[in-house]
Amino acid sequence: MPFSSHQEIQILHVDDDPSITDLTGTFLEREDDRFAVQTATSADEVLVNINDRPPDCVVSDYNMPGTDGIEFLQAVREEYPDLPFILFTGKGSETVASDAIAAGVTDYLQKGSGTERYELLANRIRNAVRARREAERADRQEQLMRLTEFNGDTGGFELDTESNTVVLTAGTRRIIGRHNQHEMPLEEALKLFHPDDREDIQHTLDKVLETREELYDTWRLQPGDGEERLLDMTITPVVENGGEVTKLRGAGHDITEREEHERTARQRRKQLSLFFEESPLGAVQWDPEFQLERMNGRAEEILGYSEAELRGESWEGIVSGDDRGQVGDAVEKLLDADGGTHVINRNVRKDGEVITCEWHNRVVTDADGDVQTIFSKFQDVTDRERRKTELEEYETIIEALSDAVYVLDEEGQFTYVNDELVELVGYDRETILGNTPSLIKDEEAVQRAEQELGRLLSSDGPEGVTFEVTVHPREGDPIVCEDHMGVLPYDGEEFNGSVGTLRDVTEQREGEAKLRQTTNQLQGVIDSVESAMWIRSTDHEYVYMNQHHRDLFDIADDTDIAGKRAVDLHSAEVAEKFQQNDQRVYETREQVEIEEVIQTDDGRQYFLTRIVPLFDNGSVYATCGIATNITEQKEYEEKLQRQNERLEEFASIVSHDLRNPLRVAEGRLELIRDECASDHIDGVAQAIDRMDALIEDLLTLAREGSRVDEIEQIGLANVARNSWQTVKTRQATLDADAPQVIEADRSRIQQLFENLYQNAIEHGGNDVTVSVGAIEDGFYVADTGPGIPGSDRENVFEAGYSTNEGGTGFGLQIVKQITDAHGWEIIVTESKGGGARFEITGVEEGA
């Protein structure tokens, strides 16, 4: 039902101050006679009873004992995600607003001053309740409509024959891809179909109007997404009370997928037949007992049998006796599982020749998983397998071609060398081949190679060995090489020779020597670092620690740390922390950073510890740690935290405990105005306004202080003009001529301009002119007011300084805090017209 002007609106107002709830209820019920306001002084009380009769709207304060406004909102949202909830609070900050929005608040309104806040609150309550009721009605309508849409592929429409306008249901909009278009002209709707179908559709519509009979047909839809869809459509006449047919209703069912499935099935049957009969591979079809039913011509050529000769025969008749066990296992596996198998085995042709075939088998099951048939395709791979066997003896050579490669026969003579070896030793290939390794190795190296070959040929020898030898090239200095040696595959039981690679490691060995020298040099540097450093193995044993680490934990210089664990050198508490930290690094294989407190001989100290894993061939073999003493920093942070907490406590008292009585006094004063007249009322109102201003400035000083959040590039003239719009300027004038772009915190620079504008208006009168302009290294704000005497200019930024009876004395102090927070300087001089001129310098310009 539509939002009724007579439907009652139940409001629940929650505030820990009863005077606030009474006053708010009075004003709301005066604003709208549909409002029925219930009150509560704590959120906990409401959460116990809210399920008995949920209100139409909740209005809540933020700063309440126990459960605050945000926590209350979160609890309500768990049960009532759509219930209107307005946060009506005297605590105003971006953080509270951001938290409220994140928790799903409907609206956020500060209490402020003046009775117009209650008018605004009443209006927002009405809007929120109306929106919720209309949304609930729309949801019900949408649910009813969806009952007519089947499986996401059916839609409906209605054609008004007088206007030729087609109204579309959600299902139809989804099918044609027009989700947000609820109606369209008939001419546009016809263009969604294939050009050859449009005339037939129009003819069918005319025929339904003429005969008043329901008709149906299938047409091709082309919604513009590049695809064509098939629609089964039924069109029905709608006869109105006067007997006239003014509307046609229809339903369309997308049968594209059904048609596609049927066409695909036909194609697959045809493809299967072609695959079987025309396949270049042998193809066989078996029954569920794995007896042959049919085979193609290629299979007959490979096996030498005709289809008639093997029909009804088991697979065993064409498999070599030695391979029947292997094939039997594959058959059993295939029949027990829904899938396929791949087998290479020996088969026997009709003429008795044994050939090697590669088989790919696939089982076909019904809906119950029962085997219906088995298809196999196969090919003769006898030659391929023979070549594969011949090539196995050369695989080791192929894999080693990136280094110098050699092959020695059973007599120990070179039978093959690659280009890299020829280049390494400087002899030509003809000289090397047929010679022995003594050509390029001294006697000691030759003997070492023979010993390693003996190890390879022993019954329990390794598959390969690596050892270091010195190679003597034809010219130049000796070359240190790593020799990787293996044996060639045996021919029966006969040794065929060995194969090996030579890798030049001369530079690597020289680099290792330099590394050892550099390590020794770095040792002194590491010991001079003011942070504790160490290396511990995966067994938690110390490998290294610098002097600072020893001094920190009072470990004597002559204490040998080799093999010592942390528990051997530290207290149980410290050792346990070290072991836990190392374990985290081993598990994550990543750097770990920890802030921790350790009890030392000098008392409790804070450390920032970074521990990194050390890798060798992808495995972590140790951890390296660096611990920096941050005790002084942490003590300063804790001191600053305590100061901030005291400051926030003060701000909360000012915001909540002082503002609430002011709001009550202000509201009661408005009620007094309605009941009686007095010359004193205006004076009381002015006093309340002054206290409001004082509280606002005190909160700014306490909460903002020297804080600067996000620095961004800001057009100075734009922010100056925008700030002017937020100040009650009366007949005052602004002249902003500051073209530069500066880097600043937008909210704080706007606050600076607002306070300077307010100061100019308070002292310069309603018709004062304020100008903003550029100067070297900054900008200025000047006015045409009476100015500030030279003797007072050093005091204007002090707290409480004001020459205006209605001023708070904090506005210019806030300006000074903002400039200090940005690292700027501010001074007071005299403007050209004799007024005040504030010059801000040290401002960094943007790009």
Side-chain angles (χ1 to χ4, degrees), residues 330-540:
V331 169
E332 184 177 350
K333 178 181 178 182
L334 180 66
L335 295 176
D336 288 344
D338 181 11
T341 59
H342 169 237
V343 183
I344 297 178
N345 61 269
R346 288 172 293 177
N347 294 97
V348 181
R349 286 173 44 85
K350 181 179 179 180
D351 58 11
E353 180 186 356
V354 177
I355 59 176
T356 302
C357 293
E358 182 177 20
W359 292 79
H360 294 270
N361 309 293
R362 176 66 61 177
V363 66
V364 179
T365 60
D366 59 17
D368 297 327
D370 295 329
V371 176
Q372 298 298 301
T373 190
I374 302 104
F375 286 101
S376 299
K377 59 180 181 178
F378 70 103
Q379 60 180 325
D380 184 349
V381 295
T382 305
D383 291 340
R384 187 190 75 186
E385 292 298 306
R386 183 182 299 113
R387 289 195 300 271
K388 179 180 177 182
T389 301
E390 292 172 351
L391 289 172
E392 283 181 354
E393 63 186 73
Y394 299 108
E395 286 182 353
T396 306
I397 297 175
I398 295 172
E399 292 173 358
L401 287 180
S402 60
D403 294 320
V405 179
Y406 64 86
V407 177
L408 301 175
D409 62 16
E410 63 274 15
E411 300 297 331
Q413 297 176 337
F414 288 111
T415 60
Y416 170 84
V417 292
N418 66 352
D419 293 340
E420 284 77 7
L421 190 138
V422 171
E423 183 179 352
L424 177 71
V425 299
Y427 292 100
D428 58 54
R429 182 174 275 100
E430 289 72 18
T431 301
I432 300 172
L433 295 179
N435 221 318
T436 65
S438 59
L439 175 69
I440 59 174
K441 297 179 182 180
D442 57 27
E443 184 178 354
E444 182 180 354
V446 171
Q447 291 177 353
R448 173 68 186 279
E450 291 176 349
Q451 291 173 356
E452 297 296 340
L453 179 60
R455 288 179 56 204
L456 290 172
L457 297 176
S458 62
S459 59
D460 58 347
E463 294 182 0
V465 293
T466 300
F467 52 96
E468 193 169 290
V469 296
T470 300
V471 172
H472 297 272
R474 183 171 177 271
E475 295 179 355
D477 297 328
I479 303 170
V480 179
C481 293
E482 281 186 348
D483 194 338
H484 301 269
M485 182 189 295
V487 295
L488 290 172
Y490 280 67
D491 184 8
E493 295 183 357
E494 295 294 327
F495 170 60
N496 281 334
S498 61
V499 60
T501 63
L502 293 173
R503 177 175 298 173
D504 184 350
V505 294
T506 306
E507 292 185 1
Q508 177 182 339
R509 296 295 179 261
E510 292 174 352
E512 291 172 353
K514 291 181 180 179
L515 179 60
R516 286 191 294 271
Q517 180 181 3
T518 303
T519 301
N520 293 334
Q521 293 172 348
L522 288 176
Q523 184 67 51
V525 177
I526 293 174
D527 282 338
S528 66
V529 174
E530 289 298 322
S531 299
M533 300 179 63
W534 66 89
I535 297 176
R536 285 192 290 267
S537 70
T538 54
D539 295 327
H540 304 289

Side-chain angles (χ1 to χ4, degrees), residues 720-730 732 750-762:
R721 295 188 190 100
N722 292 339
S723 303
W724 185 259
Q725 303 301 320
T726 62
V727 178
K728 294 180 180 179
T729 56
R730 301 181 179 90
Q750 183 168 332
Q751 191 177 33
L752 178 146
F753 277 118
E754 290 171 355
N755 283 17
L756 290 177
Y757 293 160
Q758 191 65 45
N759 181 76
I761 293 169
E762 288 178 355

